[in-house]
Amino acid sequence: MSPDPFRLRDPLRARAFADLLARHAPPRPVRIVHVCGTHEITIAQHGLRELLPDGVEVLEGPGCPVCVTSTRDLDRAVKLAESGAIVCTFGDMTRVPGTRRTLAEARAEGADVRVVLSAADAVTIAREHPDRPVVFFAVGFETTAPGTAAVLLEGPPANFSVLCTHKLIPPALSALMSTPPVHIDAFLAPGHVSTVIGARAYAGVAERFHVPIVIGGFEPLDVLYALWLALRELREGRAEVVNAYPRAVTADGNRRAQELLARAFEPCDAVWRGIGTMPASGLRIREDLARWDAERRFAIEGEPEEERPPGCRCPDVLMARAVPADCPLFRTACTPLSPVGPCMVGAEGACHVWYRYGGRPKL
């Protein structure tokens, strides 16, 4: 039986969790980092930070796929569009600033840039235009990558290719813990990524860095429950992976999706916007599928240096070293209608979420 969503938003239960959080919080400042835009939406929309005990902070790290796509990769997509290819991607990606322009700006000047909901939609466009190259600009984590893998393995038309910038979450957690200064006491792991990779996928990170990792769902009580488990681990000096979202996540994850990923991709180093290169944190199309790899087919390079807009603190937000309100551009020069940094563009970016919901409690 599916859980009653109203019970997962019950204010009385939420206040009971607030009491539990206060009782189990360690007697020192604690910083818990999540890497999921949907978690940030739940936390901000329902005012969950208002329920946290003093000294407990929850910050968003590199959890928005749009925000972490590098300027270099975006520049390559723009160049492909300007060269005459039909470039297909998700809606938010068209507004992310590149070194020179966005995909939306390229479209305004005549390039053929189309918004799709999936890689399969891009294949449909390729079949409709057999005389033109069609490139799917693939972004996202382990949740969207299986869909791209399935399309590649099904044998798409010859005029179709993928500019692959898919990224992996566990290496990102390792990078956050390996890049000083580190002020992270625990992670709230993303529920949807975990449905694919399974709870065991985080064990190496938890053990290596002695950091608790709790997998959480997306309703308000899911998040509060996961935070309580993380605080309890910290208070007891444990650093284990705990699955607080068992109605969707198993220990081993989705084996079928993992098989698709393994057949279509291999791990590679990847550049994360605002962070830099993380070892083995990306996915590259395998050699036997190279004829559909836009990077190999077109050999288009991005600009050599990543541009950081003056005053923008998105890199600090993505590294969980600042919150959007710390940025001098937030709500002034940088808004959803006129974004300066990538965190204000994507609907799951921390700055965009904070702009929409502020600190208003709605539970």
Side-chain angles (χ1 to χ4, degrees):
M1 178 182 294
S2 300
D4 181 347
F6 294 103
R7 296 187 65 187
L8 292 172
R9 300 185 178 192
D10 185 337
L12 293 178
R13 289 169 182 260
R15 294 190 182 94
F17 267 118
D19 292 339
L20 281 174
L21 290 167
R23 267 190 275 160
H24 288 89
R28 60 179 175 83
V30 168
R31 180 171 287 183
I32 301 173
V33 171
H34 68 79
V35 286
C36 175
T38 310
H39 273 154
E40 185 58 39
I41 291 172
T42 299
I43 291 167
Q45 181 180 14
H46 297 282
L48 300 190
R49 287 190 174 87
E50 301 293 323
L51 300 178
L52 300 178
D54 291 342
V56 176
E57 278 188 288
V58 178
L59 286 80
E60 179 174 356
C64 166
V66 171
C67 305
V68 299
T69 300
S70 74
T71 309
R72 173 177 173 269
D73 289 333
L74 189 59
D75 288 344
R76 290 194 296 174
V78 170
K79 286 183 178 179
L80 284 168
E82 291 173 337
S83 71
I86 300 175
V87 172
C88 304
T89 192
F90 304 123
D92 283 348
M93 280 309 303
T94 63
R95 300 177 55 239
V96 179
T99 302
R100 294 183 296 114
R101 63 185 59 174
T102 66
L103 282 167
E105 289 168 343
R107 179 172 56 197
E109 294 179 11
D112 196 343
V113 178
R114 306 191 187 189
V115 173
V116 295
L117 298 178
S118 67
D121 289 347
V123 171
T124 299
I125 292 172
R127 297 191 193 285
E128 293 171 348
H129 300 277
D131 56 336
R132 296 185 60 192
V134 175
V135 178
F136 176 58
F137 185 21
V139 303
F141 304 119
E142 292 93 333
T143 43
T144 53
T148 307
V151 160
L152 289 170
L153 294 169
E154 287 171 357
N159 63 323
F160 174 81
S161 60
V162 174
L163 181 59
C164 184
T165 68
H166 286 304
K167 293 180 173 59
L168 304 171
I169 286 295
L173 303 187
S174 294
L176 287 176
M177 296 301 297
S178 303
T179 309
V182 178
H183 301 295
I184 299 172
D185 297 287
F187 285 110
L188 172 60
H192 39 32
V193 165
S194 305
T195 62
V196 175
I197 66 176
R200 289 190 215 278
Y202 302 102
V205 179
E207 182 177 355
R208 177 183 174 193
F209 298 101
H210 196 69
V211 60
I213 300 176
V214 181
I215 300 165
F218 300 105
E219 292 293 342
L221 295 193
D222 284 327
V223 173
L224 292 172
Y225 176 53
L227 294 177
W228 169 57
L229 292 176
L231 290 180
R232 193 173 67 173
E233 281 201 63
L234 289 171
R235 191 176 184 93
E236 296 173 355
R238 294 182 290 116
E240 302 167 359
V241 178
V242 176
N243 180 9
Y245 193 33
R247 66 182 187 275
V249 176
T250 64
D252 295 321
N254 185 325
R255 294 289 182 86
R256 174 58 177 156
Q258 293 169 22
E259 179 195 356
L260 292 173
L261 293 176
R263 288 172 56 199
F265 302 121
E266 57 188 356
C268 66
D269 296 348
V271 178
W272 294 54
R273 187 168 188 148
I275 299 174
T277 301
M278 295 190 197
S281 66
L283 293 174
R284 176 172 53 207
I285 297 173
R286 288 192 177 277
E287 184 66 32
D288 59 328
L289 301 173
R291 58 190 179 282
W292 292 296
D293 186 345
E295 186 170 357
R296 291 165 169 149
R297 178 183 290 188
F298 300 104
I300 290 181
E301 291 297 325
E303 301 299 329
E305 299 291 335
E306 290 209 18
E307 183 177 285
R308 175 175 174 166
C312 175
R313 293 200 65 186
C314 278
D316 295 324
V317 172
L318 292 170
M319 290 295 286
R321 294 171 182 163
V323 296
D326 294 331
C327 179
L329 307 183
F330 180 66
R331 285 186 178 276
T332 54
C334 186
T335 69
L337 288 178
S338 182
V340 176
C343 295
M344 187 59 88
V345 176
E348 295 185 349
C351 297
H352 195 289
V353 174
W354 279 49
Y355 188 94
R356 274 188 290 163
Y357 298 112
R360 292 173 296 171
K362 291 185 176 179
L363 188 71

